[in-house]
Amino acid sequence: MGDRFPRGKVSVAGLATYGVGEWPGYSNIELAANATRLALADAAIPLDQVDGVFICLPDDLFAGLSLAQYLGIHPRFTDNNRAGGASFMSHLVTAVMMLEAGYLDCAVIAYGSNQRSSGGKLSTPARPDRWDTPYAPMYPLSYYALVAARHMHQYGTTREHLAEVAVAARGWANTNPEAFAKGPLTIEDCLKARLISTPISVKDCCLVTDGAAAMVLTRTDRAKDGPQPLVPVLGAAAATWYNSVTQAEDITITAAAESGARALAMAGATPADIDVVQLYDAFTINTILFLEDLGFCAKGEGGAFVSGGRIGPGGALPVNTNGGGLSCCHPGMYGMFAMTEAIRQMRGQAANQIGGARLALAHGNGGTLSAQATVIFGNAETV
Amino acid sequence: MTGASALWDEALAQGRLLLQRASPQAKAIFPPREMAPLSGEPLECFEASGLGTIYSLTWIQRRPPEPASNVVIVELAEGARMMGRVEGADEATLRIGMPVRVRIADGADGPLVVFDLVEAA
C-alpha cells in the first residue's frame, strides 16, 4: 500500500515567471505576488477562486499566511513546506492530492527572491548543524564539494566531467532570452576558473539571481477548458533519507534514487521514455548525481554520460534546456524554475523547445543533497 | 537528567570521544542520540579507538597569503562518520583513504575533535 497517485487527474492551468535575473527594488513577497497574479491571468482564473496557497520564501517562516494576506484571499489551506529547493515539488504533491480529493479547487504554488539585488549572496536561514559548525564548512558549498571529491575518488569522475555540465547549461542559456548568464564558455574556461572549495570552482556553482515563479493547479477536467495547452501531472514523489549529507550511507547516492523511481512508476514511465529533463543544478556535480540516481545512467557513469555535449543543445538527452541554475537563473530555491521549464516544454512554449516532447521530468533538491523530489509532467496526449 | 548530546559534551571535556551502539556487534553511531535509529532501542556509550580514515575532503581556498583550510569527513574505525579537520596537513599530499587519529584540541568554543595523519610505519 501507499504511493497511490492520481495520475493525470490534476493539471497545470497557469504558469508565470516574474523578475528573473536582476530586478532591483522589490521584496521577496512582491516578486512572488506578481508571479502569482500573472500565473492566474495565464489560466484566466480570478484571484478570489484560489483556495490553496503553497509557498516557501527565503526569509519568511510564515510565508503561506503572508501571501494569503498580501493577496487578500481566505484560503482553505496554506503550506510552507521548507524542504529547501525541493519544497515546491513537495507542495505539488500535497496540492495534487488535495485537489483530487475535492478539498481544494484551485491551488497556487509560488516563490520569489530578491537575493541578487538585496545582498548578492545565497539567502537562506539554513546552517550547518552543531556537529559540523566548528570545522567551518562553507554552507552549502563545501558539502557538495565533499560529495564531488568522493565521487571522483570512487568512480574516476573528473573536473572535465563537471565542466561538461556547465558548458551544456551555458549552451542552452545562450538561446534563452530569459537566461541571465550568456556568452561563450569552454571546458578550458571552467578548468582555469578559480577554485572555491575543492574540487568546486566558481564555474561549478549556480548563479545568484532575483526571480519569481508561480503555477496554478486545478483538476484536469477544468484545466482542459482553460486557455493554455494541457499539462497534466503524471507522477510526483518526495524522498527523505537524511538532513546532513554527512549522514548518508554512501555519500554518492541521494534519495533521488527513490523519488525518481517512485514518480516514474506513478507515471507509468521509464527514464528512456522521458523527452526532456530538468534537474536542480545548484552545482555541476548535482546534474551528474541526479542523472545517475534517476536512472538515466548507472551509478558512477554520470561523468562519462555527460561528456561530448550529450546533455547540451543538439545532444542525445536535453537536460536543463533553459540553462538551469548554472546559467539561466538561481534565485535561491530553484525547484520552482525546474518545474517551470518542464511545463513550458510540455506546452510547446519553451525558448529551446524540444520538438515532439511528450514527457518531462523535473527534479528538486534541497539542503545538502537532503530533500529530493521528482515530478513527471505530460501533455494532452499522455492522459 | 541529561540528554545524549550533553553527556557527549561532558565526556569530551574530560578528553574522551564517545560513540554509541545498540549492541557490541552493531555499527557505531555519531552524532549522539537518545535511541537507536530505526529500532528505537537504548544505546550504550563507549570510547572511540580514535582511529579512522579520510572518507572525503575539501580545501576551502583563501585569499593569499592566507593558506587554504581543509574540511574532511572521517570514517572512524567503528563505522561512524564525522566531520573534522586534519591538522598540519598539506593540500598537495592529503588524500581520501589516508589513516588519521583523533586528538582533542582546544577549540575557540571549548574542546574540539581534530585529526592528525597517522604516519606510515
Side-chain angles (χ1 to χ4, degrees), chain A residues 228-267:
Chain A
Q228 295 296 338
L230 193 70
V231 180
V233 182
L234 303 180
T240 304
W241 288 359
Y242 44 75
N243 185 359
S244 173
V245 71
T246 56
Q247 294 297 309
E249 180 87 19
D250 178 335
I251 203 173
T252 67
I253 305 174
T254 75
E258 180 195 322
S259 68
R262 285 171 41 215
L264 285 162
M266 291 167 184

Side-chain angles (χ1 to χ4, degrees), chain B residues 32-108:
Chain B
R33 303 187 204 198
E34 289 287 297
M35 64 208 80
L38 207 54
S39 73
E41 287 173 39
L43 289 166
E44 61 174 26
C45 290
F46 67 102
E47 191 169 346
S49 67
L51 297 175
T53 55
I54 298 173
Y55 179 75
S56 194
L57 73 92
T58 182
W59 286 88
I60 299 173
Q61 307 296 309
R62 315 275 177 200
R63 199 177 294 277
E66 203 185 332
S69 58
N70 69 70
V71 176
V72 297
I73 298 173
V74 169
E75 184 161 293
L76 298 169
E78 294 82 0
R81 293 197 197 122
M82 66 183 298
M83 192 168 270
R85 171 171 78 226
V86 181
E87 300 219 316
D90 179 355
E91 184 171 356
T93 55
L94 193 68
R95 293 284 178 272
I96 290 173
M98 284 183 167
V100 291
R101 179 179 285 122
V102 167
R103 175 163 52 86
I104 297 172
D106 294 323

Side-chain angles (χ1 to χ4, degrees), chain A residues 130 135 146 196-198 248, chain B residues 9 55-56 58-59 61 81 113:
Chain A
R130 64 155 282 196
Y135 307 106
L146 287 162
I196 301 175
S197 184
T198 60
Chain B
D9 290 338
Y55 179 75
S56 194
T58 182
W59 286 88
Q61 307 296 309
R81 293 197 197 122
V113 176

Side-chain angles (χ1 to χ4, degrees), chain A residues 24 43-44 52 56 59 69 101-102 106 136 148 165 194 206 217 241 252-253 258 290 307 339 349 358 362 369 375:
Chain A
C56 179
D59 59 342
Q69 171 185 294
C106 178
V165 173
R194 180 172 61 85
C206 61
L217 294 169
W241 288 359
T252 67
I253 305 174
E258 180 195 322
F290 297 149
S307 294
M339 289 199 287
Q349 297 171 351
R358 297 169 67 248
L369 292 162
V375 180

Side-chain angles (χ1 to χ4, degrees), chain A residues 47-383:
Chain A
L47 187 52
D48 62 10
Q49 291 189 15
V50 175
D51 57 7
V53 170
F54 298 77
I55 184 168
C56 179
L57 290 177
D59 59 342
D60 183 354
L61 299 178
F62 287 172
L65 314 183
S66 303
L67 185 63
Q69 171 185 294
Y70 196 98
L71 299 173
I73 60 174
H74 297 175
R76 297 177 212 272
F77 187 77
T78 66
D79 179 347
N80 351 269
N81 178 312
R82 294 192 77 83
S87 303
F88 313 95
M89 285 77 170
S90 287
H91 292 154
L92 180 138
V93 172
T94 311
V96 166
M97 293 302 186
M98 296 186 85
L99 286 161
E100 202 265 341
Y103 194 99
L104 298 178
D105 290 325
C106 178
V108 163
I109 308 176
Y111 178 70
S113 169
N114 64 1
Q115 64 169 13
R116 181 174 186 85
S117 295
S118 69
K121 289 198 297 193
L122 173 70
S123 169
T124 173
R127 298 281 179 272
D129 66 28
R130 64 155 282 196
W131 311 102
D132 296 352
T133 298
Y135 307 106
M138 294 176 74
Y139 185 92
L141 197 152
S142 292
Y143 290 80
Y144 289 83
L146 287 162
V147 174
R150 182 72 196 183
H151 200 278
M152 290 176 163
H153 172 80
Q154 225 159 293
Y155 308 115
T157 307
T158 64
R159 284 194 62 218
E160 284 82 353
H161 291 144
L162 301 181
E164 286 273 2
V165 173
V167 168
R170 180 60 58 85
W172 291 114
N174 279 337
T175 50
N176 177 8
E178 197 172 53
F180 184 73
K182 291 200 177 79
L185 181 70
T186 65
I187 301 287
E188 193 60 23
D189 294 334
C190 297
L191 296 178
K192 284 189 305 195
R194 180 172 61 85
L195 288 163
I196 301 175
S197 184
T198 60
I200 291 181
S201 80
V202 289
K203 295 297 183 196
D204 294 307
C205 299
C206 61
L207 304 169
V208 175
T209 70
D210 302 325
M215 75 168 81
V216 181
L217 294 169
T218 67
R219 284 181 291 281
T220 297
D221 54 6
R222 179 178 182 186
K224 261 183 188 150
D225 299 328
Q228 295 296 338
L230 193 70
V231 180
V233 182
L234 303 180
T240 304
W241 288 359
Y242 44 75
N243 185 359
S244 173
V245 71
T246 56
Q247 294 297 309
E249 180 87 19
D250 178 335
I251 203 173
T252 67
I253 305 174
T254 75
E258 180 195 322
S259 68
R262 285 171 41 215
L264 285 162
M266 291 167 184
T270 68
D273 300 324
I274 301 296
D275 300 304
V276 58
V277 180
Q278 311 300 334
L279 308 173
Y280 189 151
D281 54 345
F283 301 95
T284 50
I285 188 65
N286 294 34
T287 303
I288 289 172
L289 292 169
F290 297 149
L291 286 169
E292 294 170 348
D293 291 338
L294 296 168
F296 291 96
C297 63
K299 179 51 65 183
E301 292 176 8
F305 184 84
V306 301
S307 294
R310 189 192 213 133
I311 62 171
L317 183 67
V319 175
N320 293 355
T321 45
N322 58 349
L326 291 167
S327 277
C328 178
C329 67
H330 190 274
M333 285 186 267
Y334 176 79
M336 200 61 204
F337 299 86
M339 289 199 287
T340 296
E341 177 64 8
I343 294 161
R344 284 175 172 165
Q345 287 286 351
M346 291 299 91
R347 284 181 169 191
Q349 297 171 351
N352 296 309
Q353 183 61 42
I354 304 303
R358 297 169 67 248
L359 286 175
L361 180 151
H363 183 76
N365 163 71
T368 57
L369 292 162
S370 327
Q372 302 296 328
T374 312
V375 180
I376 313 294
F377 294 104
N379 65 15
E381 294 171 41
T382 55
V383 276

